[in-house]
Amino acid sequence: GAATDCSKSAVDIVFAVDQSGSIGATNFAKLKAYLVQRVNLIPFSDAAGPRVAILGFSTTVTLYCDMRFDKASLLTCIDSVPYVAGWTNTPEAITQAGAELTRANCGASRTCVIDLITDGEPNLGPGNALDPTQLEAESQQRAATEKGSGRVINAVGLGTSKGLTASFLSSLASTPTASHWARIDDYDNLELYAVKVAKNCGVSTATPCAQLPV
């Protein structure tokens, strides 16, 4: 089909990026490189075009880059995002991503996207009142709330953790789920994935696994 002019795409994307201990510093550097590539592939124009925000989550959630369309500013911001290790607070990441979309006035005239990127099941440690199974249910509930508000959720699983299941990722994702979730076993394949996603302005993952050497 005809190429999409993403510079005219009224889309806001919040990248919610896992910073937990299981990722490790080396893979987190690759994840930051992926964010740089995604931002470089977005043809920013002005406030009417694409905008991006970035938050990180481990035990807690931190908004590092609020919603903006200044590419240079975003690249500087990504560079400053630290690797913090810790647990995996997926439910709060989903809620805080939605809160940033609300704060940035992502409304009916725009496509509001949460890109959740995680390497494992939600887990807040043995001292937490909720175990991973309960935290999965809480994540699903919070994702349902965001989707019910018209937000699009892309769920991307990284690495080979058996605890992070396809059924969980797809349950978070928007419908049709097949084009809104992906599993990338090798962090070195993130570069290829970024190019695929850029072709649809980042609105869906839409990346057949057969095209990824995983």
Side-chain angles (χ1 to χ4, degrees), residues 7 24 34 42 68 75 81 85 92 102 130 138 172 178 184-185 202 206:
S7 67
Y34 164 75
I42 294 172
R68 61 189 76 173
L75 292 174
V81 174
E92 191 61 21
T102 299
L130 300 180
E138 182 68 18
L172 301 180
I184 302 172
D185 289 356

Side-chain angles (χ1 to χ4, degrees), residues 141-201:
Q141 190 173 4
R142 297 197 189 195
T145 297
E146 297 303 327
K147 290 183 286 188
S149 299
R151 275 78 191 263
V152 175
I153 297 181
N154 295 323
V156 180
L158 297 176
T160 57
S161 167
K162 291 183 170 55
L164 182 64
T165 63
S167 60
F168 175 61
L169 288 168
S170 62
S171 73
L172 301 180
S174 292
T175 53
T177 55
S179 62
H180 290 90
W181 78 273
R183 184 65 182 258
I184 302 172
D185 289 356
D186 190 332
Y187 285 75
D188 289 333
N189 290 330
L190 278 167
E191 184 176 352
L192 179 60
Y193 179 73
V195 174
K196 302 286 186 191
V197 177
K199 291 178 180 175
N200 53 43
C201 306

